[in-house]
Amino acid sequence: TSTKSNPGFPSKYTFMLLDCPFCNINPQKTTILKEKNYVRVIFNNPRLMPGHLLIIPKRQVKKISELDKKEQEELFATVIEF
């Protein structure tokens, strides 16, 4: 499978070449509430779920368990924060 760097994220991250809506967030169309080292917090589609947030790891993985310890810690700390 091919991978590429995503210019919106630190260079150590690579992503699958997919039309991933989370890797290709348009900041002009999506409200980014917080940007951290390993996660991003955005409003979910307000037309579908008003007030709901998404906390998205910056590295694309199939399972949360594939995130390293620092990524998991920041993800869950962010869940608690919001």
Side-chain angles (χ1 to χ4, degrees), residues 26-45:
N26 181 341
Q28 295 171 339
K29 293 182 178 182
T30 304
T31 302
I32 299 172
L33 298 173
K34 192 155 208 168
E35 182 96 26
K36 293 187 171 187
N37 290 327
Y38 304 108
V39 300
R40 208 181 241 172
V41 182
I42 65 170
F43 272 120
N44 194 10
N45 185 333

Side-chain angles (χ1 to χ4, degrees), residues 3 5 8-10 16 19 22 28 38-39 41 43 47 49 52-53 58-60 63 65-66 68 71 77 81:
T3 60
S5 288
F9 298 107
M16 306 285 264
D19 287 330
F22 305 120
Q28 295 171 339
Y38 304 108
V39 300
V41 182
F43 272 120
R47 293 171 297 210
M49 300 298 250
H52 285 221
L53 303 175
K58 290 184 177 181
R59 187 163 63 94
Q60 192 178 72
K63 299 183 231 173
S65 61
E66 294 175 5
D68 67 32
E71 292 168 318
E81 179 183 345

